[in-house]
Amino acid sequence: MIKRTAGGMLAFLLATTAHAQVAKPTENLAAPVKTFGRVSYDARSLMIDGKRQVIWSAEFHPFRLPSPDLWRDVLQKLKASGFNTVAIYFDWGYHSPKQGVYDFTGIRDMDRVLREAAEEGLYVITRAGPYVNAELSRGGFPGWLVNQRGRARTDDPAYMAAADEWLTRIDAIIARHQINNGGTVILHQIENELALTTPAQRRYMDHLYAKARGDGITVPLFHNDQGRNGYWVPESSKVENVVHGPNDLYAFDGYPGGTCTVAGKPTRGSAAPDWGYYGPGGAKGGASASPDTPAFLAEFGGGWFDYWGSNGGYECNAIQRGKRFQRVFYGTNLANGIDIQSVYMGYGGTSWGWLPAPVVFTSYDYGSAISEPRELRAKAEEMKQLGGLIATVPDLAGMVPAGEPVVSSPNVQVYHDKSPETDARFLMVTHKPSNGSTDDGFTITADLPDGRYTFPAAEPMRLNGFDAKWLVAGVTIGKQRLVYSTSELQAALSADGSDLMLLYGRAGENGETVLRYASAPQVRVLEGQATSQFDAAKGDLRLNYPHQGRAVVRIEGGGRPPLTLILADEAEAVRYWRQGPALVRGPALVRSTTRDPANAGTQSQKHTARDPGLLRSQEHGGTLWLSGDTREATPLEVWAPATFRTIRWNGQPIAMRTTPIGSRVATRPLAGPAAVTLPSLTWRAAYGSPETQPGFDDSTWQAAEGKPYASITARPDGQPNLSMDAYGFHDGDVWYRGRFTGTPDARQIALYYGAGGSGMVQVWVDGEFVGQHELPGGLPRPITTGTARFDLPASVQGSGEHVVSIMVRNNGHNWDLDSDDAHKEARGLISASIEAPGGRSFAVPIAWKIQGKQGGEDLPDPARGVANNGGQYGERNGWHLPGFDDAKWQAAPASVQPGTTWYRTRFDLALPKGQDTTVAVAFGDTTTPRSVARYRALLFVNGWNMGQFIAHVGPQRVFPIPEGILNHHGTNTIALAVTSDGAPGDVLEPVKLLTMRSVKGGLPVTMVAAPQSPAPPK
């Protein structure tokens, strides 16, 4: 809190003046415009149909939400949260179980997601790989590619032929949805964070560029640099030490801002970097590596991923890179001229089934603006405000440094930019350094379009704590002239010959707004507090007011149309939604969607593509159709043209009355959601590891012997290839059965295995459990291979045939982030030696057989696809499917045998209709990240593998299940494959259903079509 007298403050300010940020010539402002149909660019910005645009984007992965009816929900929430663009990765491996086999139907319908993005008014940035990383197993490469000897991400002919196979198919889909073909795809990425820059990579990049063009991709092509390395910069760049590429645009990634502590506490982090106008320049300065092209942040951290064995970091991450971080860091980017900016992630979702790379567990919440259960976090509300400014002031696109203002406090800095076309100004205010957290008073002195001003005039502004202010000056809004404001602009509306502006600031701070008039206007304070005075010499009307709740001021005359100013604090301002022809206050969400007036009360799926930024509500026959969500009973207030005589909410007519401030309010609150009641669960169980028994029939299993070896993992010479991938088993669990002849040397078995993050191995000999080994958790970059040694029972030291049975849990293949073929690290067994202590290794010959996922690369369940199943006996026999007959199973036991025990339950749901409810499955004590009990469970909901719970590793205990996978209005089945060492206490803990969120509203969701019963054996 600042405690100074007015006189003392003035002396302080005069004595401590400081200058603003100093720009450098990092962009070639004389660079020519390059045109790609409707998309063009120069050094300053991207342009659509010749109009400059700030591309304000967020990332969404449809493959992490396996209920396609909910894709539109996420897209609508991104649009409503202020984004005008969505960036989408496409996962090659998600679509291709086998070389030459591709599927783009159902949950893999990429035409649908691109069509819906266009219908919701979002531009699209497509990122098709071939490699995407994205914390996916193999970084998005298909499993079958692991068996390719040629090095990936080079010009190796076999690899490029495989990549072309994928690109031919995905490019055809993307090409159909380009803005040049009537869709909204505006940019396309040809590779992802390619960190090697040898001639082999250059030839590969040339091939990818030519392939995209040959496949009909006509929009600008880019690559995203893994950091600011100056890698793969367009040929036009003359900057020293860059690596040139064929791509049209240079883009880079950045994840600054610090991390949470292991105790779940946000940290101060680093100051926001300057990667544009105000940065160091050069090849490693960010945008400065490519002066002729617009500054482009293809990924900027909107959170961070979490790892096996952590304490659970997503909620803290949402704060670490949430409110205030967004203002400071994203604002610094914008001030630096970074006009193409994409937040990774906007919605993280779920790495269901076997999608996750070893570095992550099931949840990919990421701390993003939209949580995994699709709730808008507080940080989304702030993003709505920032995106609202960008939408309201198109002059922000293509700004350049405007000269140094004078700032009265040494603790505060100001970035000052202008539009060369309109001279409009953007003043980005942060602490100096920007991660400062003091409470400072200050003024700014600057030459603005309407004169030289020191502002605010009444009393200094405050910058209190870690924060930033996005201020504009010299802008024309509607038919009003905003000279400057110390409040931030969120929205504007012009209707019925009048203008409206929504301005906001921090609660308890004072605001000052100056407007330009030809003569003194009439000012009426309709609500709250505000004072005004008019400077006839300048024509300036100055308003002063506290940011406390809401004030409403009406200004008429003075040579301009009437103006209504809504002056709010932050908590009030986030309740507003600027939708189409209306400004709406109250609901938790006003959806970015149209409505079909012919089908009131139901969401129409018959949408048509429209340019981003246009209608979000539907006008029809004098009725304004609004749709959205409410968390509780909520007032509704609307500013809209008088031509809308009636208003409907979610299809229902709403009785409204006109207020003295010019709005219309509902005569009664909009209804909130009804209470949700969930059933308790009762379980039946059966043992599921018959492979452990010596008499088990493995006659149909493959012999593990002479398959070619393509792994980068060195193995002992002369031993068989035991890698699971070589036999077409790429995901989940794999079983081995080895036959050997007893001998006195059979004292121990030594294993070398690959199992990903927190993977494991279990071993039996002649049906007797000899032990298990687990790879360590709690490591952000996990150890993914391990060795284990087990003593063998004395019975195998005599003569006769014996059987060793081994199950390996593969928790994902490594990514290929460093272009070193790390995705080819072996999974499953690498070697197995039966030996005597001190004796020769591999002394006892073993004849191995192997079995993983049923069908291997030939999927018995293409609807659920590649990621759904591994090689557990229950999976191979359909125990996870709803239609499996478990009538002969027994009640859940108090203790279990070593291996895997299956549990099944059926229950009915009848959740309230017209609500969007996210139900989750929760294991044990959800207040702790880990259990004492040591076991792991695969969670199948109606046949869908929705994740893995590892009790003693954690941290995830709660697994949200999207509607469409879970039947909210019918019968459901949950199956759990619980793997344990069988020790006392290592058994399944209580499992329950819980409600993570529920709102009234939402979209209609149908069940995702997939087989309900096991396929008959072939």
Side-chain angles (χ1 to χ4, degrees):
M1 178 67 67
I2 301 174
K3 296 182 179 178
R4 293 192 178 93
T5 65
M9 174 61 77
L10 177 61
F12 171 77
L13 295 175
L14 292 174
T16 58
T17 57
H19 289 282
Q21 285 282 46
V22 179
K24 298 178 181 178
T26 57
E27 290 189 5
N28 175 17
L29 300 181
V33 173
K34 292 198 171 183
T35 302
F36 300 77
R38 293 179 61 191
V39 183
S40 58
Y41 63 81
D42 59 11
R44 291 166 49 202
S45 74
L46 204 71
M47 292 170 271
I48 309 294
D49 296 328
K51 181 181 178 182
R52 294 193 181 276
Q53 299 279 347
V54 173
I55 301 302
W56 194 243
S57 174
E59 187 92 12
F60 166 48
H61 301 158
F63 51 82
R64 285 190 162 114
L65 182 56
S67 180
D69 284 347
L70 292 175
W71 294 347
R72 190 183 295 276
D73 176 73
V74 171
L75 295 170
Q76 289 176 348
K77 285 172 178 170
L78 291 175
K79 185 69 182 291
S81 298
F83 296 103
N84 59 27
T85 304
V86 60
I88 299 176
Y89 266 145
F90 300 89
D91 176 358
W92 179 3
Y94 193 66
H95 296 268
S96 182
K98 183 178 183 178
Q99 186 159 16
V101 177
Y102 289 84
D103 188 348
F104 293 94
T105 64
I107 62 172
R108 291 166 290 277
D109 185 350
M110 297 298 98
D111 268 307
R112 175 175 179 171
V113 73
L114 293 175
R115 182 176 65 251
E116 290 183 350
E119 290 165 357
E120 296 307 328
L122 288 164
Y123 295 126
V124 182
I125 299 171
T126 50
R127 313 212 294 157
Y131 177 80
V132 296
N133 200 62
E135 290 70 64
L136 290 167
S137 185
R138 300 173 295 270
F141 281 149
W144 53 264
L145 196 71
V146 172
N147 293 324
Q148 190 178 83
R149 289 176 179 265
R151 184 163 179 168
R153 308 180 78 187
T154 70
D155 64 342
D156 177 87
Y159 168 72
M160 289 205 299
D164 283 354
E165 203 181 87
W166 156 248
L167 293 172
T168 296
R169 291 165 172 83
I170 191 63
D171 285 355
I173 294 171
I174 292 167
R176 290 196 291 270
H177 295 275
Q178 292 176 103
I179 195 168
N180 296 329
N181 293 334
T184 55
V185 173
I186 57 171
L187 297 169
H188 179 71
Q189 180 175 305
I190 59 171
E191 236 285 0
N192 188 82
E193 299 176 332
L194 184 60
L196 287 185
T197 59
T198 72
Q201 273 80 33
R202 175 59 202 250
R203 291 189 294 270
Y204 167 52
M205 288 288 283
D206 287 343
H207 177 87
L208 293 177
Y209 186 95
K211 176 64 176 168
R213 290 291 182 234
D215 286 343
I217 306 292
T218 58
V219 296
L221 304 179
F222 72 96
H223 163 272
N224 61 318
D225 194 354
Q226 187 189 131
R228 281 74 47 213
N229 303 298
Y231 292 169
W232 310 116
V233 174
E235 294 286 0
S236 64
S237 175
K238 302 299 187 275
V239 175
E240 292 184 355
N241 299 318
V242 300
V243 175
H244 290 109
N247 34 300
D248 305 306
L249 295 172
Y250 171 69
F252 57 97
D253 296 350
Y255 289 83
T259 58
C260 294
T261 68
V262 293
K265 302 295 183 184
T267 61
R268 182 180 181 183
S270 59
D274 292 308
W275 287 335
Y277 291 137
Y278 302 94
K284 298 185 181 298
S288 57
S290 182
D292 292 351
T293 62
F296 186 175
L297 257 170
E299 293 180 23
F300 195 79
W304 194 245
F305 57 85
D306 203 2
Y307 56 93
W308 288 112
S310 79
N311 290 323
Y314 285 138
E315 290 305 322
C316 185
N317 259 319
I319 298 170
Q320 181 78 29
R321 288 184 170 89
K323 286 186 66 176
R324 302 300 185 252
F325 168 89
Q326 297 171 139
R327 286 187 191 277
V328 172
F329 280 70
Y330 304 166
T332 299
N333 291 339
L334 189 59
N336 270 271
I338 300 175
D339 278 8
I340 311 174
Q341 186 173 170
S342 191
V343 176
Y344 190 102
M345 298 289 299
Y347 171 73
T350 304
S351 294
W352 61 280
W354 299 108
L355 285 178
V359 294
V360 290
F361 47 89
T362 299
S363 177
Y364 199 70
D365 179 282
Y366 217 81
S368 54
I370 306 171
S371 69
E372 184 181 12
R374 294 177 298 104
E375 180 67 24
L376 289 172
R377 286 188 163 111
K379 62 189 287 186
E381 297 176 336
E382 186 176 71
M383 290 302 296
K384 175 177 66 175
Q385 294 179 317
L386 305 181
L389 174 64
I390 290 169
T392 303
V393 185
D395 316 64
L396 291 170
M399 283 195 163
V400 299
E404 302 173 46
V406 177
V407 186
S408 62
S409 169
N411 297 329
V412 176
Q413 61 186 343
V414 176
Y415 297 82
H416 182 203
D417 294 345
K418 69 178 181 180
S419 166
E421 288 79 18
T422 67
D423 206 26
R425 304 301 173 89
F426 176 52
L427 297 108
M428 164 67 187
V429 182
T430 74
H431 275 106
K432 188 175 185 178
S434 63
N435 59 342
S437 57
T438 52
D439 186 352
D440 296 288
F442 65 99
T443 62
I444 300 170
T445 301
D447 290 315
L448 301 177
D450 297 298
R452 184 171 179 83
Y453 289 86
T454 296
F455 63 95
E459 62 178 89
M461 275 186 280
R462 282 176 62 190
L463 190 61
N464 184 9
F466 178 56
D467 198 1
K469 297 181 187 291
W470 292 29
L471 307 181
V472 291
V475 296
T476 298
I477 309 293
K479 295 186 177 180
Q480 310 297 325
R481 182 65 174 180
L482 180 61
V483 177
Y484 70 78
S485 180
T486 65
S487 301
E488 293 170 80
L489 179 62
Q490 178 174 326
L493 176 69
S494 296
D496 301 328
S498 299
D499 294 314
L500 180 148
M501 294 186 209
L502 170 60
L503 296 146
Y504 67 95
R506 311 299 173 265
E509 295 183 12
N510 291 326
E512 181 172 293
T513 296
V514 174
L515 299 156
R516 178 61 56 87
Y517 289 90
S519 59
Q522 179 186 5
V523 179
R524 290 184 295 147
V525 180
L526 305 179
E527 185 177 302
Q529 302 177 30
T531 62
S532 65
Q533 63 183 72
F534 184 69
D535 182 339
K538 289 185 175 180
D540 285 353
L541 174 68
R542 193 183 87 205
L543 300 169
N544 292 95
Y545 44 87
H547 292 115
Q548 199 67 51
R550 180 175 81 174
V552 181
V553 178
R554 180 78 168 175
I555 306 169
E556 297 176 295
R560 294 191 185 276
L563 170 65
T564 299
L565 286 176
I566 301 174
L567 307 168
D569 62 20
E570 276 186 293
E572 169 67 18
V574 297
R575 303 178 70 183
Y576 293 76
W577 305 86
R578 177 67 175 85
Q579 302 288 53
L583 181 69
V584 182
R585 175 186 180 272
L589 171 67
V590 178
R591 291 184 173 275
S592 175
T593 184
T594 60
R595 295 295 301 269
D596 181 358
N599 294 288
T602 64
Q603 285 285 350
S604 170
Q605 300 302 310
K606 297 177 182 179
H607 297 251
T608 57
R610 60 188 187 273
D611 283 339
L614 299 182
L615 287 181
R616 296 176 175 178
S617 54
Q618 176 72 34
E619 53 180 298
H620 182 80
T623 298
L624 180 66
W625 298 74
L626 299 173
S627 64
D629 301 344
T630 56
R631 296 190 186 101
E632 62 272 321
T634 304
L636 175 68
E637 186 172 17
V638 178
W639 286 261
T643 53
F644 298 113
R645 297 182 298 277
T646 59
I647 294 174
R648 287 179 177 259
W649 173 257
N650 288 343
Q652 300 302 311
I654 303 296
M656 309 289 289
R657 62 176 176 81
T658 302
T659 70
I661 63 173
S663 64
R664 283 176 273 180
V665 297
T667 58
R668 64 175 60 185
L670 302 175
V676 173
T677 302
L678 299 173
S680 58
L681 304 177
T682 302
W683 300 93
R684 304 170 69 85
Y687 185 63
S689 297
E691 300 96 335
T692 63
Q693 298 305 306
F696 177 80
D697 181 6
D698 59 15
S699 61
T700 61
W701 290 23
Q702 293 185 61
E705 42 190 15
K707 292 281 189 178
Y709 193 73
S711 174
I712 63 168
T713 307
R715 63 190 173 112
D717 292 338
Q719 290 301 299
N721 181 0
L722 299 178
S723 169
M724 60 188 288
D725 288 287
Y727 301 90
F729 307 126
H730 307 300
D731 303 290
D733 298 334
V734 62
W735 276 92
Y736 298 84
R737 283 170 56 85
R739 289 177 169 81
F740 64 95
T741 300
T743 170
D745 286 338
R747 300 296 184 90
Q748 293 181 328
I749 185 168
L751 304 178
Y752 179 23
Y753 71 104
S758 293
M760 60 146 354
V761 63
Q762 291 187 314
V763 182
W764 291 258
V765 174
D766 295 337
E768 179 182 341
F769 184 64
V770 300
Q772 72 177 31
H773 182 267
E774 298 180 310
L775 297 178
L779 303 173
R781 295 296 182 270
I783 297 168
T784 51
T785 64
T787 59
R789 184 177 292 271
F790 304 96
D791 291 329
L792 298 179
S795 59
V796 303
Q797 292 151 26
S799 60
E801 184 180 80
H802 302 276
V803 179
V804 57
S805 302
I806 298 176
M807 191 276 286
V808 179
R809 168 67 51 86
N810 166 26
N811 280 342
H813 288 69
N814 297 350
W815 54 26
D816 191 34
L817 185 63
D818 297 320
S819 306
D820 55 2
D821 269 358
H823 64 290
K824 296 178 184 176
E825 183 182 79
R827 290 293 179 263
L829 289 182
I830 301 166
S831 67
S833 171
I834 294 178
E835 58 195 47
R840 296 175 65 85
S841 58
F842 306 102
V844 179
I846 310 171
W848 288 103
K849 300 190 99 175
I850 183 172
Q851 177 65 56
K853 177 189 303 185
Q854 185 71 20
E857 294 177 356
D858 296 310
L859 302 182
D861 183 0
R864 294 183 178 92
V866 174
N868 201 65
N869 291 108
Q872 283 288 335
Y873 180 85
E875 292 178 280
R876 304 196 310 268
N877 288 276
W879 293 8
H880 61 294
L881 295 173
F884 174 76
D885 183 3
D886 60 14
K888 295 182 180 179
W889 287 22
Q890 305 300 311
S895 61
V896 295
Q897 303 175 54
T900 298
T901 301
W902 282 76
Y903 298 75
R904 284 173 56 90
T905 185
R906 285 188 178 87
F907 57 92
D908 292 332
L909 291 178
L911 303 189
K913 293 185 177 181
Q915 289 188 194
D916 182 358
T917 301
T918 301
V919 176
V921 177
F923 293 81
D925 182 357
T926 58
T927 65
T928 64
R930 275 170 289 283
S931 304
V932 174
R934 302 176 66 85
Y935 68 92
R936 53 190 69 206
L938 302 180
L939 168 63
F940 293 91
V941 179
N942 293 322
W944 295 83
N945 182 346
M946 294 310 298
Q948 180 180 188
F949 169 60
I950 308 184
H952 54 292
V953 176
Q956 185 176 3
R957 288 186 176 274
V958 178
F959 294 76
I961 312 300
E963 186 179 6
I965 300 300
L966 188 69
N967 188 345
H968 284 196
H969 309 286
T971 300
N972 295 274
T973 301
I974 294 177
L976 305 175
V978 179
T979 301
S980 163
D981 60 4
D986 289 349
V987 295
L988 180 66
E989 299 164 276
V991 179
K992 64 182 178 182
L993 303 176
L994 57 81
T995 302
M996 296 192 74
R997 59 181 288 274
S998 190
V999 297
K1000 189 171 180 60
L1003 299 176
V1005 178
T1006 57
M1007 290 295 291
V1008 181
Q1012 299 298 293
S1013 300
K1018 295 182 180 180

